[in-house]
Amino acid sequence: MDLDFEKPLEAIEQRIAELKALNNRADVNFDTEIAALERKLQTASKRVYAKLTPWETVQIARHAERPLLRDYIQGLCSEFIELHGDRCFGDDQGIIGGFATLRDQRVMLIGHQKGKTIEEKIKANFGMASPDGYRKAMRLMHLAAKYKLPIVSFIDTPGAYPGFEAEARGQAEAIARNLTEMSLLPVPVVVIVTGEGGSGGAIGIGVGNVVLMLSNAVYSVISPEGCASILWRDGSKAPLAASALKITAAALQEQGVIDEIILEPEGGAHRNPAAAINATGDAIVEQLRRLKKISSKRLIEQRYEKFSKIGRFKK
Amino acid sequence: MAWFRKSARQRHETLDEDLWTICPSCKVHTYKQEWQAGLKVCPKCNYHERIGCMERRDLLVDSGTWREYAGHVTTSDPLNFSDAKGPYSEKAAAAKAKTGLSESVLTGDGKINGIPVSFAIMDFSFLGGSLSGGAGEKITLTAEHAGRHRWPFIIISASGGARMHEGIVSLMQMAKTCAAIARLNELDVPYISILTDPTTGGVSASFAMMGDINIAEPRALIGFAGRRVIEETIKQKLPDDFQTAEYLLEHGFIDHIVARKDMKEFLHRVLQYSQKH
């Protein structure tokens, strides 16, 4: 599935594929033409992806083939023992978690699950977690503290679920409690924004010692569509809102919210999922090795300091 | 100019507005003086009108004991944000001029029947009481200050949620303020949250829900997502009492609903349990 701004690339790719097919069966040889087109594709890709608008980045962050939590688990973890349930109400599938061996590191892994197939998407409620999901995540994080396991939290959600039941069971309270209790976790917390960082639903599992972000992920106080419909009174102004809100990895790093950007393969993680997953694994392990040397007391202080300096008033 | 063309009915209404307050909820007319004396609460249906942070402070704090804290903190414009209506910086300047406040929250210390307390009092008339970098900073600084003095901390919320115009900085204030509340918990310093109309979005999903005791004013709107968003999501109408203080009490998220006139006395009774005995 190609995005609008990728259409020129798609045309060249198609031509290359056609020539390659002809090359295989006929006695003609198109090697020089193919090589020329491939060079052309490379330059064109560089041009397209070097100057993505924030709205185009949003499209990549939401791309249907972008790697999801299950792909990261499969690609990085030799073992994942999923743990279920919030011990209050149910087992939300918008957030999942459990013991994981990520490369050589034993961790508590949690994250939003979006689902690939339509059945999976419905089961995961498209990555929009309910209070039960946030409460399960907090239960697992407390367990991590007890077992002295570092926590790795993957963020990829359009937002917390705005539903009737979710409100009745205290969506606000569940997120608020996570924010409060995560600030006191005595173990390292590594957060990675892999796709969409949708507002309260994202920060609800996002209070980390470090917050990493993939280069085409976005993280925002409100969706560009929501912002446009409120401040522009016109949802179709979402591209404008996406620019104004400064939601790209580079802009967020400048604002001191993101500590490190994980570079995606050209064109986005969906064009080479294995490479994106691998780069993410490298970045996580590097942070875990560093953070594991730091005392519990210092980890809590450092996390407090990290968030309290955001929005610190300067005369 | 053309006053003589006004109909008798129109003239009557003008007269009405000067003398009477019409309850937005039950439409009953009350003498303006009576409405004011009743703390802007409808004597007929107990509707609590929204009031400003200064009025709230005066209702709760012993006279002559108030001292503002972190009053130097004001709005900033980290994104250089502009929307259809123009630059955020102008909007913020207009809000300051209109309200005389520097941010959407007033912070300081005062006494409740002699007990020293630190306060953060939000004001809905300042950009919808939105949580911004400045507001989060004031709440955090005041929580830290309360912690140093071991004074109980009270936040009175009145907010539509995070302020979009400051982008991610506003979102991060949810984590920042909650971390400050967590520190008070570690110090065993009491934190009481009062939720007034409205307390929604990022404010309900952070410090407002985290009180040792959560108190709400009658019929205050309290919730995470907006009613319209939920109705669009679930494709059905919501019950009338949905997201009211009474609904939250019934669902276990609020300890008490307390009328405006009784708030100070109630706080005093509760605070006595947190003092040295």
Side-chain angles (χ1 to χ4, degrees):
Chain A
M1 196 180 76
D2 285 307
L3 302 165
D4 275 350
F5 56 88
E6 290 176 315
K7 289 275 148 61
L9 307 181
E10 192 188 353
I12 306 173
E13 276 171 345
Q14 242 169 29
R15 185 76 192 129
I16 293 172
E18 281 165 20
L19 290 180
K20 277 187 174 161
L22 286 174
N23 236 8
N24 285 342
R25 51 199 162 108
D27 47 355
V28 283
N29 187 304
F30 289 113
D31 284 352
T32 21
E33 286 84 351
I34 291 170
L37 279 171
E38 275 173 345
R39 275 195 304 277
K40 193 177 161 192
L41 179 65
Q42 225 173 19
T43 340
S45 306
K46 276 221 168 65
R47 208 175 45 237
V48 167
Y49 296 120
K51 53 173 182 67
L52 288 179
T53 66
W55 182 242
E56 286 165 349
T57 308
V58 170
Q59 305 313 306
I60 295 183
R62 294 174 181 168
H63 198 284
E65 285 145 43
R66 193 170 175 82
L68 301 176
L69 181 61
R70 290 280 182 197
D71 304 309
Y72 286 97
I73 294 173
Q74 223 159 47
L76 297 175
C77 302
S78 58
E79 180 171 61
F80 177 58
I81 305 174
E82 188 172 345
L83 301 171
H84 294 274
D86 68 343
R87 301 294 190 269
C88 297
F89 177 82
D91 183 37
D92 187 60
Q93 289 295 298
I95 292 176
I96 63 162
F99 297 125
T101 307
L102 193 155
R103 298 259 176 85
D104 59 341
Q105 308 277 323
R106 286 207 179 88
V107 302
M108 180 63 80
L109 185 152
I110 58 169
H112 297 104
Q113 171 167 258
K114 272 184 170 172
K116 277 235 158 73
T117 65
I118 191 70
E119 290 81 16
E120 284 170 5
K121 280 181 206 289
I122 290 167
K123 197 174 162 209
N125 202 19
F126 302 85
M128 293 182 286
S130 287
D132 337 315
Y134 292 98
R135 290 184 182 127
K136 172 171 69 177
M138 202 61 237
R139 176 177 82 84
L140 299 186
M141 290 189 273
H142 285 309
L143 179 56
K146 182 176 176 183
Y147 289 3
K148 315 243 174 325
L149 287 170
I151 294 161
V152 179
S153 176
F154 287 80
I155 289 180
D156 186 13
T157 177
Y161 185 53
F164 176 79
E165 296 278 314
E167 291 284 327
R169 292 202 299 277
Q171 189 69 282
E173 193 274 349
I175 292 172
R177 182 164 303 281
N178 282 19
L179 299 179
T180 309
E181 294 181 1
M182 282 187 85
S183 78
L184 295 176
L185 286 167
V187 292
V189 182
V190 176
V191 174
I192 316 101
V193 185
T194 59
E196 283 182 278
S199 196
I203 188 80
I205 56 166
V207 186
N209 292 93
V210 286
V211 182
L212 317 178
M213 187 162 171
L214 270 75
S215 51
N216 289 306
V218 291
Y219 194 178
S220 180
V221 65
I222 184 170
S223 72
E225 292 91 336
C227 180
S229 77
I230 298 171
L231 293 183
W232 276 265
R233 306 230 164 255
D234 178 0
S236 73
K237 294 284 195 293
L240 264 181
S243 298
L245 286 166
K246 302 210 166 62
I247 59 180
T248 60
L252 294 168
Q253 191 175 38
E254 225 170 276
Q255 296 179 70
V257 172
I258 295 304
D259 299 286
E260 186 187 324
I261 297 174
I262 302 169
L263 216 56
E264 291 178 35
E266 193 172 78
H270 62 284
R271 296 204 160 243
N272 188 350
I277 291 168
N278 219 12
T280 305
D282 290 347
I284 294 171
V285 168
E286 192 191 317
Q287 292 295 345
L288 287 175
R289 291 215 173 105
R290 185 177 67 80
L291 292 169
K292 277 165 96 174
K293 293 182 196 139
I294 301 175
S295 72
S296 294
K297 185 165 171 279
R298 186 65 207 124
L299 284 170
I300 295 168
E301 282 170 2
Q302 184 265 330
R303 208 178 300 126
Y304 188 89
E305 198 37 45
K306 173 176 166 55
F307 284 88
S308 68
K309 75 171 191 250
I310 302 172
R312 183 164 289 165
F313 185 70
K314 295 173 213 84
K315 278 217 176 92
Chain B
M1 289 290 275
W3 62 271
F4 48 84
R5 277 198 224 123
K6 273 188 182 169
S7 70
R9 212 184 116 251
Q10 275 174 320
R11 257 181 287 130
H12 182 68
E13 273 184 5
T14 322
L15 205 68
D16 265 8
E17 276 167 28
D18 292 340
L19 280 178
W20 302 89
T21 299
I22 303 165
C23 173
S25 177
C26 72
K27 312 290 175 213
V28 157
H29 289 49
T30 306
Y31 267 120
K32 245 194 182 131
Q33 272 179 315
E34 194 189 333
W35 185 268
Q36 297 283 350
L39 312 176
K40 300 189 177 175
V41 174
C42 176
K44 179 85 195 312
C45 75
N46 200 29
Y47 168 80
H48 281 55
E49 192 189 351
R50 289 171 187 170
I51 59 172
C53 58
M54 299 293 185
E55 287 168 285
R56 292 223 177 261
R57 176 199 63 190
D58 294 345
L59 282 175
L60 298 179
V61 174
D62 298 349
S63 82
T65 65
W66 176 259
R67 279 184 58 195
E68 191 173 359
Y69 184 77
H72 65 288
V73 178
T74 180
T75 57
S76 22
D77 183 12
L79 306 185
N80 206 3
F81 192 92
S82 247
D83 61 31
K85 285 190 191 142
Y88 162 54
S89 56
E90 284 176 18
K91 204 180 247 184
K96 284 182 218 176
K98 185 185 90 178
T99 59
L101 303 170
S102 62
E103 249 299 354
S104 57
V105 61
L106 172 72
T107 44
D109 310 317
K111 290 185 175 171
I112 291 182
N113 296 344
I115 302 176
V117 173
S118 291
F119 290 91
I121 312 176
M122 304 191 88
D123 196 310
F124 191 75
S125 66
F126 192 104
L127 299 175
S130 49
L131 179 62
S132 61
E137 174 83 338
K138 290 185 83 171
I139 290 168
T140 304
L141 289 175
T142 309
E144 289 171 348
H145 161 79
R148 281 192 295 274
H149 292 276
R150 299 288 203 276
W151 289 335
F153 186 40
I154 296 179
I155 301 182
I156 304 172
S157 296
S159 171
R163 191 178 301 163
M164 285 173 280
H165 314 71
E166 293 186 18
I168 202 81
V169 170
S170 296
L171 185 70
M172 293 300 134
Q173 301 312 304
M174 294 167 64
K176 171 169 164 170
T177 52
C178 280
I181 298 304
R183 283 201 163 181
L184 290 183
N185 294 342
E186 291 288 282
L187 295 168
D188 291 338
V189 169
Y191 164 51
I192 296 175
S193 173
I194 302 176
L195 300 90
T196 73
D197 187 61
T199 298
T200 60
V203 168
S204 73
S206 59
F207 52 83
M209 273 294 164
M210 291 316 294
D212 305 333
I213 300 155
N214 293 334
I215 304 168
E217 279 197 335
R219 286 157 65 191
L221 170 72
I222 303 163
F224 177 66
R227 191 181 186 92
R228 202 164 44 91
V229 176
I230 300 170
E231 286 182 339
E232 275 167 21
T233 306
I234 63 170
K235 313 274 181 231
Q236 53 189 340
K237 280 268 168 221
L238 293 163
D240 282 344
D241 73 336
F242 187 64
Q243 293 185 325
T244 58
E246 291 72 14
Y247 183 90
L248 269 88
L249 180 74
E250 200 177 303
H251 283 76
F253 295 103
I254 298 286
D255 290 281
H256 252 274
I257 295 174
V258 178
R260 190 168 289 163
K261 66 176 170 47
D262 303 324
M263 191 64 84
K264 181 171 182 175
E265 210 36 57
F266 186 80
L267 288 172
H268 180 237
R269 281 170 58 203
V270 164
L271 284 173
Q272 282 173 315
Y273 287 88
S274 74
Q275 302 292 295
K276 283 216 174 75
H277 3 250

